[in-house]
Amino acid sequence: MTTPVPVCVEAVLESQIQEVRVEGDGQDIQEVYAPQLSMSENLAKLANKIDFYKDECEEKGKPTSEGEKESEEEKATTFQPSLWPWDSVRNKLKASLTEMSVLLDVLNIAKRKNYMVLDQVSQPAPDPKTALQLASKKQALTTSANILMNSAERLKKSQAEGTSKHNDFHIELLKLRQNWRLKKVGNTILGDLSYKTAGSRFWQGGTFEVLKTTTSTSTEPEGSATKGGLEVVIPNDLRGVAYIQVEVKSVPEKMDLTSAIMRLPSELGTVHTGTYWQQKLQAAQNVLFCKEIFSQLAREAVQTNSSVPHLVVGNQIITNVFPGIQLSIILCHSTGKDKNKRPPPAPPKLDHNHVLEHSLHQLLRELHYKNIHYPPPHPVTAMIGVSKKRRMAGPLAMCRQDLLEMADNESLLEQVIKQTKHHVLRQKTMGVLDRYAITLSDPQLANHWNCVNSSLESSCRVLITSQGYDLRIWHSFMVHIYVDKIKVITREGRVLILSYEEKELEDFILWQISQHQISVSQNLSRLMGWHMLNTTGALGVSDLESSATASALVMASPNHNKALAIKSGPSTGTKVFIQSCPKENQSRIVTKDEKWSFVGCEFQEVDMNKFEGRNFPSKLETLMAVLTRTAT
Amino acid sequence: MQKEEKQLEATVDALIHRVQDIKNSIASFLFKLENEYQTLNWPSVLDNFALISGQLNSLGKVLKNDRSPHLRNHLLLPLALRPDRDAELEKLTEGRVMCFNHEVVPDYLRTKPEPEVEDKVNIVVQKSAAMQADMAQKQLNSMNKITSNLLDIINSNKEELESEATQNIGKAPSTIKTNIKSAASTHPYQRP
């Protein structure tokens, strides 16, 4: 009892008990510990626990239900069930392969008689389970019968469909062949919806497959009437709806890069699976066409080195047309598949430019046309696709410069940018002219746009008239709008080139108006028998105008006793001065004649607002009439 | 006794052979599925299934053969477990079994079927239990009758089809011959 017992201070379980000794009469119990494992021993022990074999034989040795489940999960991750149609078949086969392998192994091992033997035992013969057999056979027969019946049903249906003319596959195929290119490859019918025959050189092909629908269409509630027995399978990347969106935006100062985000409007319509093949093919063809436009533009945007670099970001091409105005061309393509995934965000306000989109389509079609239509003549000995001018280059000994000029053709992007520039410029000019036409009442502006114009040129005639006097007195100028400049031709034939800045046109209009007032006054003076003493188009005196120059007119009444001075400036407006006669002038001795009495008299401004009349000419007429009468 | 053992050995050999065939065809089918699924079509899949089912049938025939001893009366008796690797065993089982140890054997000698299979069997067993013995006998007889009738019909149809096909092959040239004969008879310069 008192004998000292060694107490182990190590943690429990760290060293295991190897043996328990009972000595003597059972009072003395001694535990013998196993020696502590060294590091390397420990490692060896742990390594022993790892079942390397388990991995190598791929669960084949363990066909337990757990193993099966694991391998199934593994398969689910490696193969997408939707992508791989044989998934279920494969899983079943794997399981059966496992069982077969086990059976084979067991048989082999048993045959070798090393580990296992087939040992004979006597066993009573089993009672025949006829009922069980019957039940299982019945079940097997029903399943196979069902399969047979199903297929028979389908055969019947297809037979019935074949007799009814409406859903005939061959008639549909005939219709398809009338509009689309088809060819037979092996057992499948392939079609081509690309623009290659129309001159396209786009790398992406548009092959589709024609299938006969075997599923009964009668099960579908609607659309079965239009759907024939023909189905077209379109490649994945051409499915859905696409269009090219062209936006002209005004951005402050620099190019706005933040707007270069991928935007796909969610309101795009999706093509339903049940639609008629014609619509499906057309949609796919449109997708292909849009893709070709975009890839062509993107390639050109990267290749051309202009002063302002074009940006290609994702499905967007951004370029600056004018400072502060940006053109972005976006390829919108929705396959209609991912629509269910995310809720459609609020569609941003899109100022889509339909005209430019249309012209893009037109330009590509022109390119296609040019690819296969070479201008005649086509000599037999010459290379195909060489123009006459080029063929003559040798005999005519053209220089390198000429040849380079000949090879130079405008890219799609350049043409579009030009059109955009013209478009922007026209919109701006229109805006300015319309604004003046609305706000001005004295005189009035009337714009006449030419209906004949091109995508790069348009013109407009602007008439300046005063109401009531517009039959005889009008002033006009022509505005020609080009790609990035405006040419104005005044009535006198003076030609001015304006830039894209709005201000220049505004100044010009104001100047023309001031000129108009003077010419109206001139006309009035001629009509009423006044004498024009002096006219000047560029007045050097008086206040400085903010732009252009003021013009002036001085005229005298028919009996030369009154004089009027009219000054008209673009910014200062029209002012009328009358030469008044001070009384002290009467006492002059040297020149007694009355006609000299006005010499040296001061001009005083007339407040035209006090006169009655709708506009300046009517007021001026009143004034002149009054002056003529008082003088007589 | 000697004779019986020989018989047993022969049967086991035959079984191994058949099972090997089945295993190989399943493996090749799996390989096809995984590697050639793009070009795979339905008829070839069905062909593969037909091959496997035919091999299963022949395996069944071996089991049912009169000459083979009743395998029911033989037990698989594990003699020894050895934790070491056995190269010969590895070769025999194509690398699936490295050593015959306590981990492998319980799995390999499992007699309980897979849960899926067990469920299916259970359903059938329940059905058969619900049936009464005399009713079952009746149904069995009638089914035997029907199946034999069906088999007759199918066989006769098959024969008909085959004979038609052979007739057609034989017919085609003969019509030409008769035509020639008739044409010759109508020829103005025919021999009397």
Side-chain angles (χ1 to χ4, degrees):
Chain A
M1 289 289 272
T2 51
T3 47
V5 176
V7 177
C8 184
V9 288
E10 283 163 357
V12 200
L13 291 176
E14 277 242 340
S15 54
Q16 288 172 330
I17 301 165
Q18 198 177 27
E19 189 176 4
V20 180
R21 278 188 201 148
V22 182
E23 283 175 359
D25 52 348
Q27 295 281 317
D28 199 354
I29 300 169
Q30 198 176 8
E31 290 177 353
V32 179
Y33 292 101
Q36 282 263 318
L37 290 172
S38 71
M39 288 294 270
S40 62
E41 276 173 20
N42 209 0
L43 179 70
K45 188 185 163 196
L46 287 175
N48 263 335
K49 280 185 183 168
I50 299 169
D51 193 359
F52 292 108
Y53 141 82
K54 197 172 167 185
D55 274 339
E56 274 174 36
C57 58
E58 287 180 80
E59 306 281 354
K60 266 171 200 158
K62 295 181 102 185
T64 56
S65 60
E66 255 182 65
E68 290 297 303
K69 266 180 201 164
E70 266 175 33
S71 60
E72 265 167 36
E73 275 166 14
E74 204 177 283
K75 279 160 209 157
T77 51
T78 48
F79 287 97
Q80 298 290 325
S82 61
L83 295 177
W84 213 60
W86 304 105
D87 206 42
S88 61
V89 178
R90 182 177 170 277
N91 287 347
K92 290 255 163 73
L93 275 175
K94 267 257 156 114
S96 54
L97 180 67
T98 311
E99 295 296 322
M100 277 298 153
S101 307
V102 169
L103 181 55
L104 185 65
D105 292 347
V106 167
L107 282 173
N108 269 326
I109 295 167
K111 195 191 154 200
R112 251 186 90 222
K113 291 179 181 169
N114 250 358
Y115 299 103
M116 265 195 298
V117 286
L118 280 169
D119 192 31
Q120 193 165 20
V121 290
S122 59
Q123 207 175 192
D127 51 333
K129 294 175 191 165
T130 46
L132 187 65
Q133 270 188 354
L134 176 69
S136 62
K137 285 241 160 104
K138 255 171 88 179
Q139 207 177 14
L141 276 178
T142 7
T143 36
S144 51
N146 275 339
I147 292 170
L148 284 175
M149 287 307 280
N150 269 341
S151 61
E153 198 71 17
R154 269 174 65 172
L155 270 178
K156 254 189 206 166
K157 246 174 208 165
S158 68
Q159 196 84 16
E161 270 173 19
T163 49
S164 69
K165 270 206 166 175
H166 183 69
N167 280 337
D168 195 0
F169 169 73
H170 292 97
I171 286 181
E172 289 291 320
L173 191 63
L174 186 71
K175 280 187 202 162
L176 187 70
R177 273 201 65 170
Q178 282 168 353
N179 295 316
W180 302 88
R181 284 157 51 82
L182 297 179
K183 66 178 172 185
K184 201 170 176 213
V185 180
N187 282 329
T188 54
I189 303 171
L190 295 181
D192 187 17
L193 50 77
S194 71
Y195 281 89
K196 290 220 166 79
T197 48
S200 163
R201 283 169 192 169
F202 193 41
W203 54 271
Q204 192 175 359
T207 314
F208 63 93
E209 196 182 341
V210 182
L211 288 180
K212 187 178 179 178
T213 44
T214 48
T215 51
S216 57
T217 49
S218 56
T219 51
E220 285 168 23
E222 52 169 350
S224 56
T226 54
K227 209 174 164 187
L230 192 141
E231 187 79 45
V232 287
V233 181
I234 291 160
N236 262 331
D237 49 351
L238 293 183
R239 275 180 201 164
V241 180
Y243 67 93
I244 297 280
Q245 184 176 314
V246 186
E247 273 181 283
V248 179
K249 290 178 287 191
S250 57
V251 284
E253 294 297 317
K254 281 182 187 170
M255 191 177 279
D256 188 10
L257 280 176
T258 51
S259 71
I261 36 166
M262 308 271 274
R263 264 196 311 197
L264 269 184
S266 53
E267 73 265 30
L268 274 176
T270 52
V271 178
H272 299 290
T273 48
T275 42
Y276 198 48
W277 48 263
Q278 180 71 24
Q279 275 92 49
K280 262 184 162 180
L281 289 178
Q282 277 170 357
Q285 203 171 29
N286 186 42
V287 172
L288 187 68
F289 194 74
C290 289
K291 279 189 169 189
E292 185 176 354
I293 290 178
F294 189 80
S295 71
Q296 173 87 14
L297 288 176
R299 200 171 54 238
E300 285 168 3
V302 175
Q303 279 172 359
T304 51
N305 34 6
S306 61
S307 55
V308 186
H310 312 299
L311 279 182
V312 182
V313 185
N315 63 343
Q316 212 173 12
I317 299 173
I318 303 168
T319 183
N320 260 7
V321 280
F322 290 123
I325 289 175
Q326 165 184 315
L327 166 75
S328 64
I329 300 167
I330 308 164
L331 173 70
C332 297
H333 183 194
S334 95
T335 50
K337 270 182 185 168
D338 50 344
K339 208 183 175 186
N340 303 330
K341 278 186 193 167
R342 47 174 191 191
K349 179 96 174 65
L350 299 170
D351 41 353
H352 176 44
N353 197 322
H354 294 278
V355 178
L356 286 174
E357 187 201 359
H358 176 76
S359 67
L360 265 178
H361 280 243
Q362 230 174 6
L363 284 172
L364 188 66
R365 275 177 207 276
E366 245 169 57
L367 193 76
H368 285 175
Y369 185 84
K370 268 190 215 155
N371 277 345
I372 50 167
H373 291 90
Y374 302 112
H378 304 293
V380 189
T381 51
M383 215 162 69
I384 287 180
V386 175
S387 67
K388 190 189 171 193
K389 205 176 161 193
R390 172 109 177 263
R391 274 199 302 275
M392 297 301 284
L396 290 178
M398 278 187 179
C399 63
R400 186 164 180 273
Q401 192 68 35
D402 290 338
L403 282 169
L404 276 179
E405 268 172 28
M406 212 186 300
D408 194 35
N409 54 354
E410 226 167 15
S411 69
L412 212 62
L413 187 66
E414 280 169 17
Q415 290 180 60
V416 169
I417 289 175
K418 270 190 180 174
Q419 288 193 13
T420 314
K421 278 184 172 176
H422 175 73
H423 178 81
V424 169
L425 202 58
R426 196 176 59 220
Q427 288 300 118
K428 269 186 172 181
T429 315
M430 242 178 214
V432 170
L433 288 175
D434 285 351
R435 201 168 67 235
Y436 277 96
I438 289 166
T439 52
L440 284 181
S441 58
D442 174 29
Q444 289 153 332
L445 247 64
N447 308 330
H448 297 281
W449 286 89
N450 268 355
C451 61
V452 181
N453 55 7
S454 77
S455 54
L456 296 179
E457 228 174 280
S458 52
S459 66
C460 165
R461 175 176 286 278
V462 182
L463 297 183
I464 305 173
T465 54
S466 300
Q467 202 191 357
Y469 298 83
D470 41 3
L471 267 181
R472 295 212 45 190
I473 310 154
W474 51 269
H475 203 88
S476 78
F477 60 93
M478 283 293 292
V479 182
H480 290 272
I481 304 161
Y482 297 108
V483 171
D484 45 9
K485 64 180 183 185
I486 302 172
K487 188 165 88 175
V488 282
I489 305 166
T490 61
R491 194 178 55 163
E492 307 93 65
R494 210 181 291 174
V495 177
L496 288 139
I497 305 286
L498 308 179
S499 78
Y500 59 88
E501 293 283 353
E502 280 177 34
K503 189 77 176 73
E504 290 182 27
L505 187 67
E506 280 172 18
D507 288 347
F508 176 77
I509 293 170
L510 286 175
W511 180 59
Q512 282 294 303
I513 287 166
S514 73
Q515 295 269 317
H516 170 77
Q517 300 292 42
I518 291 297
S519 56
V520 165
S521 312
Q522 277 177 357
N523 264 296
L524 270 179
S525 79
R526 222 174 281 140
L527 275 175
M528 299 179 73
W530 284 51
H531 295 289
M532 271 182 282
L533 301 180
N534 181 28
T535 52
T536 171
L539 199 63
V541 294
S542 171
D543 301 335
L544 206 64
E545 300 287 334
S546 60
S547 69
T549 50
S551 43
L553 168 72
V554 183
M555 56 186 176
S557 62
N559 50 8
H560 301 287
N561 53 5
K562 288 282 186 306
L564 280 176
I566 301 155
K567 176 194 166 225
S568 174
S571 52
T572 50
T574 317
K575 281 174 184 165
V576 179
F577 301 89
I578 186 165
Q579 198 176 31
S580 65
C581 183
K583 291 295 170 203
E584 58 264 33
N585 240 20
Q586 300 281 343
S587 57
R588 287 196 312 189
I589 307 149
V590 185
T591 50
K592 290 278 181 175
D593 200 354
E594 203 177 340
K595 70 177 178 186
W596 299 110
S597 62
F598 292 98
V599 172
C601 278
E602 291 283 316
F603 276 93
Q604 285 184 340
E605 190 177 347
V606 183
D607 189 359
M608 294 302 279
N609 288 336
K610 295 279 167 66
F611 281 88
E612 276 186 23
R614 269 179 297 194
N615 46 18
F616 171 73
S618 64
K619 286 173 184 175
L620 187 68
E621 194 183 357
T622 318
L623 174 67
M624 283 161 78
V626 167
L627 287 179
T628 314
R629 209 181 62 189
T630 49
T632 49
Chain B
M1 202 61 194
Q2 275 280 330
K3 195 183 158 196
E4 266 189 20
E5 265 187 16
K6 259 189 188 168
Q7 259 189 359
L8 181 65
E9 204 149 292
T11 316
V12 169
D13 273 342
L15 281 179
I16 287 172
H17 193 69
R18 302 286 170 216
V19 171
Q20 182 85 42
D21 282 352
I22 294 172
K23 204 210 80 183
N24 284 347
S25 53
I26 290 176
S28 71
F29 186 26
L30 260 177
F31 181 81
K32 260 189 200 169
L33 270 183
E34 281 172 10
N35 293 302
E36 300 166 21
Y37 62 93
Q38 274 164 335
T39 54
L40 204 63
N41 53 7
W42 192 235
S44 75
V45 172
L46 285 184
D47 282 350
N48 275 305
F49 272 125
L51 181 67
I52 293 167
S53 119
Q55 283 167 342
L56 276 174
N57 256 338
S58 64
L59 179 70
K61 267 181 194 163
V62 170
L63 286 175
K64 271 185 194 163
N65 202 345
D66 289 337
R67 268 184 299 172
S68 63
H70 287 288
L71 286 173
R72 225 191 119 71
N73 292 339
H74 291 276
L75 284 181
L76 272 174
L77 184 68
L79 293 179
L81 297 182
R82 208 167 296 161
D84 323 319
R85 277 175 76 144
D86 188 338
E88 204 183 331
L89 192 67
E90 201 177 325
K91 198 179 145 200
L92 196 69
T93 58
E94 294 166 6
R96 281 187 294 270
V97 183
M98 305 276 185
C99 50
F100 201 73
N101 59 11
H102 60 282
E103 252 181 82
V104 176
V105 172
D107 286 336
Y108 266 62
L109 296 183
R110 168 180 63 117
T111 53
K112 191 177 165 67
E114 276 188 47
E116 256 181 64
V117 180
E118 204 171 16
D119 287 349
K120 274 189 183 172
V121 171
N122 272 343
I123 289 169
V124 177
V125 167
Q126 275 170 15
K127 260 190 191 171
S128 68
M131 226 182 293
Q132 279 165 14
D134 50 341
M135 275 289 287
Q137 197 57 43
K138 252 190 209 169
Q139 282 194 5
L140 197 66
N141 288 338
S142 61
M143 197 173 81
N144 279 339
K145 227 173 165 181
I146 290 167
T147 37
S148 60
N149 273 346
L150 259 176
L151 208 62
D152 284 349
I153 291 169
I154 291 169
N155 276 333
S156 66
N157 267 334
K158 191 181 159 196
E159 274 169 24
E160 226 169 82
L161 271 174
E162 275 171 0
S163 67
E164 257 179 34
T166 49
Q167 267 178 14
N168 279 343
I169 291 164
K171 249 185 188 174
S174 74
T175 50
I176 295 168
K177 267 180 198 165
T178 51
N179 277 346
I180 288 168
K181 267 182 192 165
S182 65
S185 65
T186 55
H187 200 271
Y189 300 110
Q190 61 167 320
R191 279 183 198 164

